[in-house]
Amino acid sequence: MLYREAGQFKTSYIADSQIFPIRQDRIIFTLFMVFAFVAVPLLGSEYWFSAILVPFLVFALAALGLNVLTGYAGQLSLGSAAFMAVGAYAAYNFQLRVEGIPIVATLLLSGGCAALVGVLFGLPSLRIKGFYLAVATLAAQFFVVWALTKFPWFSNNSSSGVISTPKIDFFGIAIDTPVRKYLFVLAVVSVLALVAKNLVRSCTGRAWMAVRDMDVAAEVIGIPLMRTKLTAFAVSSFYCGVAGALYAFCYLGSVEPDGFSLDLSFRILFMIIIGGVGSILGSFLGSAFILLLPIFLDNALPPLAALLHLPFTNATVSHIQMMVFGALIIFFLIAEPHGLARLWQIAKEKLRLWPFPH
């Protein structure tokens, strides 16, 4: 990765516009995908699949959806968990009420349901923006949880609103082990991440970024604000809806409306702030950081407390985690607003082996 494009000349428009125009990028991406699909299933343990890799991929997909809306289109949202809840419960009902429906169709339909809800709550973006839009999307958070609790049809007449997801299969292959769940989630996230990377390079993505930078100027040059903003809400909610379905079917197995709380929305927001707003890679870096930091602190703080003879309890460790999260968010907002993705880019420039940096 420590290189720069040099001596690679394009002779056609197709070659110049491909998703990975640099040869080294294509080679390293291919090797990385081979490692993720082949080596990790052979080397990883069930704990890594169930507790780390699957939730990392699910939250990365949700963060990617929010990054499309906030990072590329500039529309603030605090309802990511609500759209995940819509996707989870929609997938549950499709699997329950439509006999023989493939899991891929279930994911697409659940994402479509979340997209419709996202467009509905994205309508205020046509008149308000900034903090007021964030408050408007916050209404989705409370309304969706309230609807899932008060209308028992969504949870198959469960009094508490808790649903237990049925077993799923992919073209006859049962997805019932941690390794198979990991491979299935990895395949879905990989495809959707490549789609998002292509989408932000298209005319739709350029329209999002124009609206993000200055919506008045974008409207003057002919970009339709209504269609552009609602498209961003639809795509973002679709990704969050698919993430919610994977969260329920491949990670937890049993979910409740209160599990998609405002705290989850803030966690997803922190992922894109720390990882990098307006970056596909930042969504994955932020998800890994937010997920792995508590595990690291849980394992590092008790031995440190014993070494220093400090009375650390589980509650103290939890409070320290919140303090570290808050400090990191403040640090990235002040020192590096573009997050870990920008730090990685700077590291590549400083450590580049060829051509030599000036």
Side-chain angles (χ1 to χ4, degrees), residues 23-76:
R23 185 183 303 112
Q24 295 94 320
D25 283 343
R26 296 194 295 271
I27 295 173
I28 291 177
F29 176 77
T30 302
L31 293 177
F32 178 79
M33 296 306 294
V34 170
F35 174 79
F37 277 99
V38 178
V40 173
L42 296 177
L43 301 176
S45 63
E46 289 192 2
Y47 170 77
W48 274 86
F49 294 129
S50 301
I52 296 179
L53 293 177
V54 170
F56 155 68
L57 292 170
V58 170
F59 287 128
L61 184 60
L64 180 58
L66 182 60
N67 226 337
V68 166
L69 181 64
T70 302
Y72 288 99
Q75 309 300 305
L76 297 179

Side-chain angles (χ1 to χ4, degrees), residues 30-306:
T30 302
L31 293 177
F32 178 79
M33 296 306 294
V34 170
F35 174 79
F37 277 99
V38 178
V40 173
L42 296 177
L43 301 176
S45 63
E46 289 192 2
Y47 170 77
W48 274 86
F49 294 129
S50 301
I52 296 179
L53 293 177
V54 170
F56 155 68
L57 292 170
V58 170
F59 287 128
L61 184 60
L64 180 58
L66 182 60
N67 226 337
V68 166
L69 181 64
T70 302
Y72 288 99
Q75 309 300 305
L76 297 179
S77 174
L78 293 177
S80 304
F83 304 132
M84 288 181 65
V86 173
Y89 277 80
Y92 169 75
N93 279 279
F94 281 121
Q95 283 287 314
L96 181 68
R97 305 178 192 281
V98 182
E99 184 177 358
I101 184 172
I103 185 60
V104 175
T106 298
L107 293 178
L108 294 175
L109 291 173
S110 61
C113 293
L116 292 177
V117 176
V119 169
L120 177 63
F121 285 95
L123 290 174
S125 67
L126 306 179
R127 290 293 180 266
I128 58 179
K129 58 184 178 180
F131 172 76
Y132 300 98
L133 178 59
V135 174
T137 56
L138 187 62
Q141 181 67 50
F142 298 106
F143 175 79
V144 169
V145 173
W146 172 83
L148 295 176
T149 304
K150 296 300 180 181
F151 295 95
W153 183 87
F154 293 114
S155 57
N156 196 27
N157 298 315
S158 173
S159 58
S160 59
V162 179
I163 59 173
S164 296
T165 57
K167 296 181 179 180
I168 57 176
D169 64 87
F170 182 71
F171 294 106
I173 302 175
I175 306 175
D176 53 358
T177 63
V179 177
R180 291 180 178 180
K181 290 179 180 180
Y182 160 75
L183 290 173
F184 177 71
V185 174
L186 177 62
V188 173
V189 173
S190 300
V191 171
L192 291 180
L194 290 175
V195 171
K197 186 172 179 60
N198 265 324
L199 192 58
V200 298
R201 301 185 313 132
S202 65
C203 58
T204 301
R206 292 194 295 270
W208 288 343
M209 288 181 276
V211 172
R212 174 197 63 191
D213 294 338
M214 185 175 292
D215 54 354
V216 176
E219 189 175 22
V220 168
I221 64 176
I223 295 177
L225 291 185
M226 181 181 72
R227 186 178 67 186
T228 302
K229 289 183 177 181
L230 294 184
T231 301
F233 270 96
V235 173
S236 172
S237 302
F238 177 86
Y239 274 68
C240 289
V242 174
L246 295 175
Y247 184 70
F249 279 79
C250 296
Y251 177 41
L252 293 181
S254 179
V255 294
E256 59 180 345
D258 291 337
F260 300 95
S261 60
L262 183 61
D263 178 67
L264 182 58
S265 293
F266 277 116
R267 286 184 63 189
I268 298 172
L269 180 62
F270 296 158
M271 288 176 188
I272 68 171
I273 292 176
I274 294 177
V277 179
S279 169
I280 302 296
L281 176 62
S283 303
F284 290 88
L285 295 178
S287 174
F289 190 88
I290 294 296
L291 187 67
L292 295 178
L293 181 62
I295 298 176
F296 171 77
L297 293 177
D298 287 338
N299 289 277
L301 288 179
L304 180 62

